[in-house]
Amino acid sequence: GPGFDCAGVALDLWNELELTEGDGVSVEGEGAGELPEDDSNLAVRAYALVADPAGRRFRFVNRIPLESGLGSSAAAIALGLRAAAPEASAEELLGLALTLEPHADNLAAALAGGVTLTWDGRIARIADTLPLAPVALVPPGRVETAAARASLPAEIPHTDAAFTLSRAALLGAGAASGSADLLTAALDDRVHEPYRESSLVRELRARLPTGACGATLSGSGPAVMVWADDPAACAAELEQRYHEHRV
């Protein structure tokens, strides 16, 4: 939503790395047979920024869908860095992570957890949880982040900027205070969502599922985050309405 390139939320959706003595890289789950199984693997490259991967065997079990707007690359980088430097601070690792990916908002949430804001290489974890639960609706297609970003205009009208600034302020206030009303009021944007065409966002906003308060594009999409005060009811209706999507 209005937290474009600044705000992030860590989801309860985890990739795993088992690091042992030996050699080789294996990938199971999301990206199996597609992601590289050698030193060019993104998580191994992140590990190599801090420690020598030689003599280590990397076994990845991935659960975050690729190119879905759910931060799979940020999670991979965070995983590799944290494995190499378990005692380092999130901000220390963020500086290294940005050499591999420029999206600090995703990286901050993956490294620090909770609800994060990031600016100028700094991270503020402003809340552990949100007053609304995120329910991800993931279509079967993919969106390449670079292509989605290329669709954004270089300039936007002042009215759209002012609109989104007000929602961004509500977003920070709602997250920090735990106010569901403020957070619900924040779930709109005119900086990036209008240019990343998503019929799914429009459909959901026009007819919110039971228990839902709003919907936002997740990252570059195509995943949509539905924000709910009754996530079980929301998820059940989404599963009924969207049989080909993952909830």
Side-chain angles (χ1 to χ4, degrees):
F4 178 69
D5 277 358
C6 173
V9 179
L11 304 178
D12 191 15
L13 184 61
W14 299 78
N15 289 349
E16 294 181 10
L17 165 60
E18 182 183 75
L19 188 63
T20 56
E21 292 184 4
D23 293 296
V25 177
S26 65
V27 177
E28 303 171 24
E30 300 290 338
E34 179 180 358
L35 295 174
E37 296 190 335
D38 55 28
D39 288 351
S40 66
N41 182 285
L42 185 58
V44 179
R45 289 169 57 201
Y47 183 93
L49 292 175
V50 178
D52 187 355
R56 297 287 184 268
R57 175 165 180 77
F58 296 79
R59 174 178 174 263
F60 295 100
V61 179
N62 293 339
R63 300 184 182 87
I64 302 175
L66 306 183
E67 295 182 339
S68 61
L70 292 171
S72 61
S73 58
I77 294 169
L79 186 58
L81 288 173
R82 184 55 73 193
E87 302 302 324
S89 71
E91 284 190 355
E92 288 173 330
L93 296 182
L94 178 62
L96 294 170
L98 288 171
T99 67
L100 296 176
E101 176 177 291
H103 307 303
D105 49 341
N106 295 348
L107 291 163
L111 289 166
V115 185
T116 59
L117 300 177
T118 183
W119 72 102
D120 298 336
R122 298 187 61 188
I123 300 173
R125 178 170 168 156
I126 61 171
D128 296 332
T129 61
L130 286 171
L132 299 176
V135 180
L137 182 63
V138 187
R142 293 185 179 183
V143 169
E144 185 180 350
T145 302
R149 189 165 285 265
S151 69
L152 303 181
E155 299 178 355
I156 62 170
H158 273 87
T159 52
D160 290 346
F163 177 94
T164 302
L165 283 170
S166 69
R167 270 53 179 189
L170 287 166
L171 181 71
S177 68
S179 168
D181 288 342
L182 291 179
L183 188 61
T184 297
L187 300 178
D188 204 352
D189 162 84
R190 293 182 185 173
V191 167
H192 71 105
E193 286 185 347
Y195 308 101
R196 292 169 165 169
E197 186 66 20
S198 174
S199 59
L200 196 54
V201 170
R202 291 199 306 273
E203 288 175 14
L204 289 165
R205 286 176 173 166
R207 184 163 69 94
L208 285 173
T210 301
C213 298
T216 56
L217 195 65
S218 184
S220 301
V224 173
M225 206 62 64
V226 183
W227 300 93
D229 55 12
D230 187 344
C234 175
E237 183 171 329
L238 289 174
E239 288 172 347
Q240 289 180 345
R241 285 168 56 177
Y242 297 97
H243 300 293
E244 296 182 356
H245 297 30
R246 284 191 283 179
V247 178

